[in-house]
Amino acid sequence: MNSSPDLGIGLPTPTPTDTFDLGNKLTQRLQDHIADRARTQHRIDLATTQLQNLFKSAPKRPRDSKIALREKVRKLERDRTSRSLPLSQEKALIRQIDGVQKQIRMHDDVERHQELIRRKKAEIESVKDALRTTNANISEIEEALSKVELAKRLGCSVSDLINREVDCPVEKLGRVIGKHGATIKAIEEKVGVHIDVDKIHGKIHVRGNESAAEEAVKELENLTLAVDEEIEVSAELITYLLSQHSDILSKIKDDNPDVFINVLAKITRIHMRGHPAKVSKAKSDFHSVQVVSKTRTLTGREVAIVVGKTGSTINSISDKHSVVIEVSRDHSEDDSSTLRIIGQSASVDSAIAEVDTLLHQNEDVEEMLLVDPMMKNQLLNNSGAG
């Protein structure tokens, strides 16, 4: 005999092996109740139409009360029988009595009609009570069925399911829910839980097995407790972070997956959003990046040597040392340019060293030799060929 907790609808809590069968039973029971609800609603609609017709066909009540009319009949009868009257007067009294008795019968018709209306109202209220009971049963079965289906999806028994509640400031609910519920759905699919949001009271209800529920709570608290912070950094760091030759930004984002990071290049700031502790770590990671900028003057053909054909040389040095290299003209009379290298100190030094080596290997050498007049004439006669 299964001694596990009851689902609250007369069926025991299933184990993973019999969850499927119980799900089928609950589904069949739900369909039966839904069909019963439709029949009950039809009875209410029919009885309501009948009640409306009763109101429309209600007889008109006489102006005088029933008691007053009966007293009038007794007075007329007394007048008719207490003395001898001419036949014409007696007939007139009898006609009056018949008219008053007709009004009394109209009162009886009104009372019978009102009794029909009262009974029809009682019938409708009774059927509505039955409908409320059916709706309550449907809600209960749907709740139990959702537990069974969730347990089946998680591969556990219903008894393993727990509930967790997360407080959420109302102003943050939009961010937590996401566009068309996308954020909530993503968390549900990622960790395997069911999430309901109480928008009025700012509560988020999580249902799942213990490990999944706890993971979902952590995911949600990353949103509900999230703070927005900005740090001001140097222009060199911004340039370095956004360079295709540096993977520092990608690494920091990978190391802080729960923190939204946006580099605001125009105002040299970095915006972060997430759990306070996690934002603090991301800030620390950015502050730990020490970036320097060093320059070197290039003259003449040195620019072409450093840049290389279609930028091949400068890109190769940048990739090799993970630095940013910029070349700008100085607009000076000697037509020189400035080479600027941005990156972490050791990488910048090694990149400058490689540039120096490259320029040294490709520098032009000019020397002067003293020759006697005879050799000079001989060289000139041969067009300078030795």
Side-chain angles (χ1 to χ4, degrees):
M1 182 176 179
N2 195 331
S3 60
S4 55
D6 192 87
L7 280 172
I9 55 172
L11 292 173
T13 301
T15 61
T17 56
D18 58 14
T19 295
F20 179 75
D21 290 338
L22 180 58
N24 287 340
K25 292 176 182 178
L26 288 172
T27 300
Q28 182 59 53
R29 184 177 292 187
L30 179 62
Q31 291 172 351
D32 292 342
H33 279 287
I34 290 174
D36 184 48
R37 179 173 62 183
R39 290 191 295 268
T40 305
Q41 185 61 55
H42 177 70
R43 289 177 59 193
I44 292 174
D45 295 341
L46 180 61
T48 301
T49 300
Q50 292 170 345
L51 180 61
Q52 291 171 348
N53 291 335
L54 284 173
F55 280 124
K56 290 178 182 178
S57 62
K60 188 175 181 181
R61 183 185 292 275
R63 182 181 301 175
D64 294 334
S65 70
K66 198 172 183 180
I67 295 175
L69 291 172
R70 286 174 176 169
E71 181 61 31
K72 191 173 184 179
V73 168
R74 283 194 295 270
K75 183 179 180 181
L76 289 171
E77 283 286 353
R78 191 166 52 248
D79 289 344
R80 185 179 71 84
T81 60
S82 63
R83 54 193 173 92
S84 180
L85 296 172
L87 183 59
S88 59
Q89 289 183 5
E90 186 175 0
K91 286 183 176 180
L93 284 173
I94 291 173
R95 284 195 296 270
Q96 288 183 47
I97 292 171
D98 288 342
V100 175
Q101 288 178 336
K102 182 178 180 181
Q103 291 184 60
I104 292 174
R105 289 193 296 272
M106 289 175 63
H107 270 291
D108 293 337
D109 290 340
V110 170
E111 291 171 358
R112 283 192 293 269
H113 200 86
Q114 286 182 336
E115 177 62 18
L116 291 175
I117 290 175
R118 187 193 65 77
R119 291 180 180 178
K120 187 57 66 175
K121 285 182 176 179
E123 176 189 342
I124 292 173
E125 190 58 37
S126 175
V127 179
K128 283 184 175 179
D129 285 340
L131 181 62
R132 282 189 281 269
T133 300
T134 301
N135 284 333
N137 289 336
I138 288 174
S139 297
E140 193 174 358
I141 293 173
E142 286 177 337
E143 175 73 10
L145 190 57
S146 70
K147 290 181 180 179
V148 171
E149 290 175 346
L150 181 60
K152 178 182 175 183
R153 179 157 60 90
L154 298 176
C156 65
S157 68
V158 175
S159 60
D160 291 332
L161 297 178
I162 62 172
N163 294 314
R164 289 287 182 269
E165 186 179 277
V166 178
D167 292 323
C168 178
V170 175
E171 64 273 12
K172 290 185 177 181
L173 281 175
R175 180 187 299 173
V176 173
I177 296 171
K179 189 175 182 180
H180 304 304
T183 305
I184 289 293
K185 291 177 183 176
I187 295 175
E188 286 180 325
E189 293 175 0
K190 178 181 178 182
V191 301
V193 294
H194 178 72
I195 299 175
D196 287 317
V197 179
D198 181 352
K199 296 181 180 180
I200 296 177
H201 301 100
K203 302 286 186 181
I204 304 174
H205 303 281
V206 179
R207 176 183 293 162
N209 63 33
E210 186 171 5
S211 60
E214 294 300 334
E215 185 177 352
V217 167
K218 291 179 181 178
E219 294 278 349
L220 289 167
E221 287 182 342
N222 285 336
L223 300 172
T224 61
L225 301 177
V227 296
D228 289 271
E229 290 194 31
E230 286 186 1
I231 57 173
E232 188 170 359
V233 296
S234 66
E236 287 80 7
L237 179 57
I238 294 290
T239 301
Y240 182 62
L241 291 174
L242 296 179
S243 170
Q244 62 179 349
H245 304 294
S246 169
D247 62 352
I248 294 296
L249 181 59
S250 297
K251 186 176 185 304
I252 292 177
K253 287 184 175 181
D254 290 342
D255 290 343
N256 301 273
D258 297 323
V259 178
F260 169 79
I261 297 173
N262 185 25
V263 178
L264 307 173
K266 291 184 178 180
I267 59 174
T268 62
R269 287 177 173 271
I270 299 174
H271 174 241
M272 288 164 284
R273 179 193 302 145
H275 190 282
K278 296 181 178 182
V279 168
S280 178
K281 179 185 177 301
K283 285 169 57 178
S284 177
D285 289 346
F286 279 113
H287 287 312
S288 68
V289 180
Q290 300 298 318
V291 172
V292 298
S293 173
K294 294 186 179 181
T295 60
R296 185 190 194 286
T297 300
L298 300 178
T299 59
R301 57 189 290 269
E302 288 180 341
V303 173
I305 294 171
V306 171
V307 173
K309 189 175 181 180
T310 66
S312 60
T313 304
I314 197 171
N315 287 334
S316 175
I317 296 173
S318 295
D319 290 338
K320 179 179 179 181
H321 301 282
S322 297
V323 295
V324 179
I325 302 179
E326 300 172 343
V327 177
S328 58
R329 295 180 65 85
D330 293 340
H331 303 291
S332 58
E333 294 182 359
D334 59 0
D335 198 27
S336 63
S337 298
T338 298
L339 174 74
R340 185 181 183 216
I341 301 179
I342 303 171
Q344 298 186 71
S345 181
S347 299
V348 170
D349 290 341
S350 61
I352 287 181
E354 182 167 343
V355 170
D356 289 341
T357 300
L358 178 65
L359 293 177
H360 179 73
Q361 291 173 346
N362 290 274
E363 67 179 344
D364 291 332
V365 178
E366 181 178 327
E367 294 187 15
M368 296 184 63
L369 297 175
L370 295 176
V371 296
D372 57 39
M374 183 179 297
M375 182 175 289
K376 175 183 176 183
N377 291 331
Q378 183 178 359
L379 292 171
L380 293 175
N381 289 336
N382 295 327
S383 301

